[in-house]
Amino acid sequence: MKDNETYQVFLDIWHDVMLYLFIGSVAISALIFLIYIFRYLAAGSAKAKYDLANEREIKTLLITNYILAFAIFCLVNQTYVEMVSLGITWKLTRIFIGIFIATLHAYVAFLVFKYYYPGKLEKRLKKLRFTPRINPSTGNKMKLLSEDEEDSYLDEGMQAEENAFSVDYDVWIDEATGETKIEKYKGHLHALECDRCGFQTLKLEKEEVLVQPTDTTDGEILKEYKCSYCGRIKRKTTNLTSNVDRERDPSKSSTDPFKTGKKVESIVMEIHTADGDNKVFEFQGIEQAKGFLAEFTVEKLRH
Ligand SMILES: [Zn+2]
């Protein structure tokens, strides 16, 4: 039968092509995965590892699995050779089974790496972020400064950025030498736990300044988060302070008589009593003046 011969030749070519495509796609998938692992291991610092994992890891794992899904399709299309040689219907059936299994693999991979894996990744990212840094010039372990401590090491632009947008600066200090290392973390790359579905899939979508701050009034910023799993949209407005020091410096609270936005170098105080005594005092700074006021009695004026 002529037709059957043609079909057999076609099947042989088909099986060869499927074999090569299978080998090729497994190789490409493995290569992409290995390149990622290599880059991760070769990344010099914990911060470099953090950035790579944060930006690339999930994408890499998804792509490798999609390619593997294609490899599975090719693998299925080389099986049951004898049965398929009986007729075209078997061949078509095999193609559909191949598509079905490959789609299933891709879909499961999608679910795992989109919704389950980010929570695990987040834990590793936290570890990387808070691993004590080593000062390369001394080999000393550095210490991470707290939010309050770090302000004096950040310039005004950085502080404003931290206040307004979802950016975090970490300041590491070598306590022996005073050397510092500043690392920047961007909030929008970073997923939060969704308060509705519980997955680590809530991401910052946009930030918009609603009211610009002035020297005397606070502004307002709107942050919009979206969950890629359940679709929850969360909007949050927060204050945007123009003077970045205002809310952090305790000496500027409203009960403080020296409330000021400026650095004070000296204070001159002139005290007049009801019986006509007066005296001038000079202080080197706010703390000194406060200490004086706390202990002040009118009797002291007479000496
Ligand atoms: Zn959600």
Side-chain angles (χ1 to χ4, degrees):
M1 269 168 94
K2 199 103 211 283
D3 269 3
N4 193 36
E5 261 170 46
T6 322
Y7 179 58
Q8 296 305 328
V9 172
F10 169 68
L11 267 190
D12 284 347
I13 296 172
W14 174 271
H15 288 143
D16 279 353
V17 170
M18 284 298 141
L19 178 66
Y20 293 134
L21 284 177
F22 170 72
I23 293 170
S25 47
V26 168
I28 290 171
S29 168
L31 193 68
I32 292 175
F33 183 68
L34 287 175
I35 287 173
Y36 175 77
I37 298 288
F38 177 77
R39 283 181 64 194
Y40 185 82
L41 294 176
S45 62
K47 168 68 171 149
K49 281 186 166 59
Y50 180 101
D51 286 341
L52 182 68
N54 195 24
E55 282 203 55
R56 301 286 339 155
E57 187 154 321
I58 288 179
K59 284 178 197 156
T60 306
L61 290 169
L62 273 176
I63 290 170
T64 51
N65 273 285
Y66 291 158
I67 299 173
L68 278 182
F70 178 71
I72 289 171
F73 170 81
C74 300
L75 185 67
V76 169
N77 274 280
Q78 299 167 72
T79 54
Y80 295 99
V81 175
E82 275 166 39
M83 196 190 275
V84 168
S85 66
L86 292 177
I88 192 95
T89 324
W90 290 108
K91 186 171 184 306
L92 289 176
T93 310
R94 191 177 62 175
I95 287 179
F96 284 119
I97 292 173
I99 290 174
F100 177 74
I101 297 177
T103 308
L104 196 66
H105 178 90
Y107 186 59
V108 169
F110 171 80
L111 292 178
V112 167
F113 292 112
K114 223 46 185 194
Y115 304 121
Y116 167 75
Y117 194 77
K120 298 201 75 137
L121 178 64
E122 206 54 46
K123 275 187 201 138
R124 203 169 81 238
L125 290 177
K126 266 202 188 108
K127 237 188 212 166
L128 285 170
R129 180 167 172 181
F130 299 117
T131 304
R133 307 301 193 236
I134 304 293
N135 183 352
S137 50
T138 60
N140 290 337
K141 251 191 192 173
M142 300 174 96
K143 184 187 152 230
L144 180 64
L145 295 183
S146 70
E147 286 290 315
D148 293 329
E149 295 168 317
E150 73 184 19
D151 277 359
S152 47
Y153 296 92
L154 302 177
D155 62 38
E156 261 184 45
M158 290 167 160
Q159 291 187 42
E161 214 180 351
E162 260 203 342
N163 269 10
F165 299 102
S166 297
V167 171
D168 255 341
Y169 283 99
D170 283 359
V171 180
W172 292 87
I173 190 163
D174 182 337
E175 287 178 301
T177 64
E179 280 169 89
T180 55
K181 190 174 182 178
I182 298 177
E183 295 174 351
K184 184 177 183 174
Y185 293 89
K186 286 185 193 159
H188 69 274
L189 293 174
H190 185 83
L192 303 167
E193 193 178 301
C194 174
D195 47 1
R196 190 161 79 186
C197 68
F199 284 116
Q200 202 93 22
T201 40
L202 194 69
K203 271 196 173 187
L204 185 67
E205 286 267 296
K206 67 176 185 194
E207 292 177 296
E208 193 184 334
V209 177
L210 299 177
V211 183
Q212 283 289 349
T214 65
D215 285 344
T216 49
T217 59
D218 285 350
E220 233 182 20
I221 187 163
L222 171 77
K223 298 186 181 199
E224 199 176 289
Y225 300 84
K226 193 177 176 205
C227 174
S228 58
Y229 180 71
C230 68
R232 169 165 169 67
I233 290 176
K234 189 176 169 182
R235 291 188 185 86
K236 225 169 93 183
T237 47
T238 43
N239 278 349
L240 186 57
T241 47
S242 52
N243 181 343
V244 290
D245 285 331
R246 211 188 300 155
E247 43 177 25
R248 284 183 182 161
D249 193 335
S251 70
K252 287 162 197 159
S253 64
S254 57
T255 53
D256 196 307
F258 300 108
K259 190 170 150 192
T260 167
K262 304 212 165 68
K263 278 230 158 76
V264 175
E265 233 177 70
S266 75
I267 293 171
V268 177
M269 215 183 279
E270 195 169 355
I271 297 181
H272 298 259
T273 64
D275 19 11
D277 283 331
N278 73 67
K279 210 163 180 181
V280 177
F281 300 92
E282 197 171 334
F283 305 97
Q284 298 311 308
I286 288 174
E287 287 311 311
Q288 206 181 11
K290 270 191 199 163
F292 168 81
L293 278 181
E295 285 173 30
F296 176 73
T297 59
V298 183
E299 274 69 44
K300 283 190 181 169
L301 277 185
R302 307 222 161 91
H303 302 295

